Amino acid sequence: MSCFGRGLRRTAPARGSSRNELVTPSTASLTRVNGWACPPHSFQLVGWTIYSYMAVVGFGIYIPLLPSPWSHMAYSLTGIAFIVHLVTHLAAVSIDPAEAGVRAKKSYSNPLPVFDKKKQPHVIHNLHCYLCKINVDPKVKHCGVCNKCIEDFDHHCKWLNNCVGGQNYWYFFVTVLSATLGVLVLLMVVLFICIQHYMDPASLRTAPQFTSVMSNGTWLVFLPLAPMETGSGSLLVVAFLTVMLATGSLLLLVHLLGFHIYLLLNQMSTYDYIITRRRKQTSQQDVEMGFPQSSDSNAGQNHPQMEPSIDCDALLSDSVSCKNQETGTISSRPSGSFCTELDNFTKSSEKENGFYYGTELPTQIIPGEVVMDDPLGWRSGGGGEGPRAGPCEGVPCTDRAHQ
């Protein structure tokens, strides 16, 4: 393992900030119970609106126009898909995916504790969450949106306004699957109606209520309970809008469903996939720049593994020594991405020598929260101080694994 396998990223320091400041979650201080907690996400509202529109248009306008026995088949397939989607969607939103210890505390009404970086470098450190105050399993992550630890964390879903974890993952999967099948059947029905409207309109006017309609340009909707007359133009305009909406929804659903089938076949979570992809991108960048790959470039093919803690004794010279607590010295030469960052760091420190760069506190990435890594620990200093000398000068002392 090389402690310089990843490229370093840093952002400009905020004015008046300090690496010893208290860190609080980006969302409200209260922990969210499930997807019904306020405020609702805009994607959640859009999802329920599309579902309601598809149900009204499908069962109220187009499926009743189908001749028998196609109408009975369409009612059965679409009805099963929409009912299963409704039940699983409600379950996925309503279930609390938190870790068992968090659910046992039942303290969602209390403000979330404040995380102090002076005491601990990570929100979850040594399998203990310092915000939820519980011991957790390796697959547990702390979601910055829900403000709680999620059991078998997969991702935070904006469409559900809830985290997807071990407690509700299969409800989420069936929700996506049923939505895909329901939209597909409805799209085929609407396209069939549009084609038959021009090819053989009489085949769509087999309902008994059409016997009282004299004009062929008049159509009935909301059959058979509340028939209402409408024109051919209105019927085709609504069909066009429905086809466009159904096609866009179907593309998104098929992509999402295929992605999660891929994850299931590879026994990965969405979080594992993102971490593995980031590592591959970093390795690919080193290859494109002409630098040799590090020894851990193939790590995380299926699951990103927890890396042992590393102490790095670095000097601002051509050679760097990295000591692993388990295996001893593992590298004597920094990777290309680190050398580039080190050159840029040296030049920027000459121009802006009013800032102090510390390296003691790595950044903890909280799932669901947008966080920029700051491995060099920017700090405002006075008196024209440069980088502070120390055992790990300019190099992160800990090879950080995502908790």
Side-chain angles (χ1 to χ4, degrees):
M1 180 190 301
S2 172
C3 65
F4 302 110
R6 304 175 187 169
L8 299 180
R9 295 179 295 169
R10 61 173 183 263
T11 57
R15 293 184 177 272
S17 64
S18 171
R19 58 187 172 89
N20 291 328
E21 286 183 353
L22 297 179
V23 176
T24 56
S26 60
T27 54
S29 58
L30 295 179
T31 300
R32 299 170 56 89
V33 179
N34 50 34
W36 303 115
C38 293
H41 197 277
S42 58
F43 283 14
Q44 185 182 24
L45 301 178
V46 170
W48 284 111
T49 302
I50 294 177
Y51 175 84
S52 302
Y53 172 83
M54 293 292 185
V56 172
V57 169
F59 295 102
I61 300 179
Y62 295 107
I63 295 181
L65 295 178
L66 293 175
S68 180
W70 298 108
S71 60
H72 301 296
M73 295 178 58
Y75 273 123
S76 301
L77 295 177
T78 310
I80 292 175
F82 273 64
I83 292 175
V84 171
H85 175 82
L86 178 63
V87 173
T88 55
H89 195 152
L90 291 175
V93 174
S94 303
I95 289 177
D96 182 3
E99 201 272 341
V102 176
R103 298 196 306 269
K105 285 188 174 183
K106 302 293 183 180
S107 59
Y108 290 165
S109 59
N110 299 328
L112 194 72
V114 177
F115 178 64
D116 192 351
K117 273 191 174 181
K118 294 185 295 184
K119 297 180 180 179
Q120 297 295 335
H122 300 285
V123 174
I124 297 180
H125 188 64
N126 292 332
L127 299 181
H128 180 80
C129 180
Y130 289 90
L131 284 177
C132 298
K133 307 293 184 183
I134 59 171
N135 295 325
V136 297
D137 294 329
K139 291 185 178 181
V140 173
K141 310 298 177 198
H142 189 98
C143 177
V145 178
C146 295
N147 290 341
K148 60 185 177 183
C149 286
I150 306 300
E151 181 178 345
D152 294 335
F153 179 82
D154 187 85
H155 70 284
H156 182 88
C157 181
K158 296 179 181 180
W159 298 96
L160 300 178
N161 198 31
N162 195 17
C163 271
V164 176
Q167 296 292 324
N168 62 346
Y169 179 83
W170 286 109
Y171 290 103
F172 162 79
F173 184 83
V174 176
T175 297
V176 177
L177 177 61
S178 59
T180 303
L181 297 178
V183 173
L184 178 61
V185 173
L186 182 59
L187 179 60
M188 295 174 61
V189 168
V190 176
L191 290 176
F192 177 81
I193 295 294
C194 292
I195 295 174
Q196 289 296 100
H197 180 272
Y198 291 102
M199 301 294 295
D200 186 13
S203 64
L204 303 178
R205 306 169 67 89
T206 58
Q209 290 80 2
F210 277 101
T211 57
S212 60
V213 177
M214 303 301 298
S215 174
N216 291 333
T218 302
W219 293 83
L220 297 179
V221 295
F222 301 113
L223 295 172
L225 299 179
M228 296 176 57
E229 293 186 358
T230 186
S232 297
S234 301
L235 192 71
L236 294 177
V237 168
V238 175
F240 174 78
L241 296 177
T242 304
V243 169
M244 293 296 101
L245 182 60
T247 301
S249 302
L250 189 61
L251 292 176
L252 295 176
L253 288 169
V254 169
H255 179 271
L256 182 60
L257 180 63
F259 174 69
H260 278 275
I261 292 176
Y262 167 82
L263 294 179
L264 290 174
L265 293 177
N266 288 272
Q267 298 182 349
M268 298 176 65
S269 66
T270 303
Y271 183 82
D272 296 335
Y273 173 83
I274 293 175
I275 298 304
T276 303
R277 186 176 181 182
R278 286 179 180 176
R279 291 181 176 180
K280 290 181 179 180
Q281 289 176 348
T282 301
S283 177
Q284 183 64 27
Q285 289 176 358
D286 285 345
V287 173
E288 292 176 355
M289 295 175 65
F291 297 108
Q293 287 185 321
S294 59
S295 59
D296 63 338
S297 58
N298 295 325
Q301 293 294 331
N302 295 323
H303 296 282
Q305 301 295 328
M306 296 292 294
E307 301 171 353
S309 59
I310 299 175
D311 293 332
C312 302
D313 296 330
L315 298 176
L316 297 179
S317 61
D318 292 337
S319 62
V320 178
S321 175
C322 298
K323 297 179 180 180
N324 189 315
Q325 292 178 356
E326 296 182 2
T327 61
T329 302
I330 58 176
S331 178
S332 60
R333 182 79 179 175
S335 68
S337 58
F338 174 77
C339 294
T340 303
E341 286 288 337
L342 186 59
D343 293 339
N344 296 334
F345 170 73
T346 305
K347 294 177 181 179
S348 62
S349 64
E350 294 175 356
K351 296 179 180 179
E352 302 179 3
N353 58 2
F355 292 104
Y356 176 87
Y357 305 88
T359 61
E360 293 80 7
L361 295 177
T363 303
Q364 166 69 18
I365 295 181
I366 302 178
E369 182 178 5
V370 179
V371 180
M372 297 299 294
D373 285 349
D374 186 10
L376 296 178
W378 293 79
R379 181 185 179 187
S380 177
E385 293 180 357
R388 183 178 66 176
C392 296
E393 183 171 311
V395 183
C397 295
T398 304
D399 191 12
R400 297 163 296 177
H402 291 275
Q403 298 294 337

